[in-house]
């Protein structure tokens, strides 16, 4: 077991820097129950985080950046807090989110394809030194 003295404690500013979250967002995550453990505090009331807290927050950041709904992230955190025995439900949440992300990626690839096609059309016309033949709604 790790002794209390051997744990590297991090302040909220350090955690904000490591995770890319603002101090305000870290407090929000705590209020919303998105952390897997309680945030410890100094005798003066300052928050103290550990490396596992930072690792968890980095996962949360990626899940939120990829569009995971807050309710799903809360449920996922709750399941993790409860410990072993609910891995199948955790997997269902992650699989559902992965399917949403895959759909978003496919939609973005289709958008990129249209953009690339249109950019090629403009590049071709500009290389021929003219815009004749391009769609012009004012004509």
């Amino acid at each position: 077991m790790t002794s209390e003295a051997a744990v590297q404690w991090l302040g909220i500013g350090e955690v904000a820097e490591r995770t890319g979250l603002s101090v305000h967002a870290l407090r929000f995550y705590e209020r919303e129950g998105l952390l897997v453990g309680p945030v410890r505090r100094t005798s003066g009331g300052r928050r103290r985080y550990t490396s596992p807290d930072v690792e968890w927050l980095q996962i949360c950041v990626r899940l939120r950046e990829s569009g995971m709904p807050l309710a799903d992230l809360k449920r996922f955190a709750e399941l993790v807090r409860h410990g072993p025995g609910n891995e199948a439900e955790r997997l269902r949440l992650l699989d559902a989110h992965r399917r949403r992300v895959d759909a978003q990626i496919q939609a973005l690839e289709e958008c990129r394809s249209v953009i690339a096609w249109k950019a090629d059309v403009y590049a071709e016309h500009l290389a021929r030194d003219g815009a004749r033949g391009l769609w012009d709604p004012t004509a």
Side-chain angles (χ1 to χ4, degrees):
M1 183 168 208
T2 307
S3 73
E4 185 82 6
V7 173
Q8 179 189 6
W9 295 105
L10 303 166
I12 197 167
E14 293 169 291
V15 174
E17 188 175 305
R18 290 183 186 197
T19 62
L21 293 168
S22 67
V23 168
H24 177 75
L26 286 167
R27 290 181 184 129
F28 171 80
Y29 272 46
E30 183 181 352
R31 272 192 319 273
E32 292 296 315
L34 297 173
L35 303 177
V36 292
V39 176
R40 298 216 177 138
R41 299 204 181 234
T42 66
S43 58
R46 293 185 179 269
R47 288 170 175 83
R48 299 187 323 169
Y49 297 87
T50 62
S51 293
D53 293 327
V54 172
E55 290 169 18
W56 173 255
L57 286 164
Q58 289 168 334
I59 291 168
C60 290
V61 166
R62 291 295 176 243
L63 291 172
R64 287 294 291 151
E65 284 179 347
S66 62
M68 179 177 268
L70 190 57
D72 287 356
L73 185 54
K74 282 183 181 183
R75 180 66 181 144
F76 186 59
E78 179 183 335
L79 291 167
V80 171
R81 268 194 306 277
H82 284 286
N86 57 32
E87 292 82 1
E89 188 174 351
R90 293 183 211 180
L91 180 58
R92 278 192 298 277
L93 276 168
L94 292 173
D95 279 343
H97 183 59
R98 180 177 28 202
R99 284 191 300 275
R100 287 190 302 267
V101 169
D102 288 344
Q104 290 173 331
I105 289 169
Q106 182 176 348
L108 286 171
E109 286 174 346
E110 291 169 6
C111 292
R112 183 178 55 195
S113 177
V114 169
I115 293 166
W117 165 74
K118 196 61 177 172
D120 289 346
V121 167
Y122 278 89
E124 181 183 320
H125 280 275
L126 289 173
R128 286 187 283 140
D129 197 31
R132 276 189 286 256
L134 290 176
W135 179 69
D136 181 0
T138 62

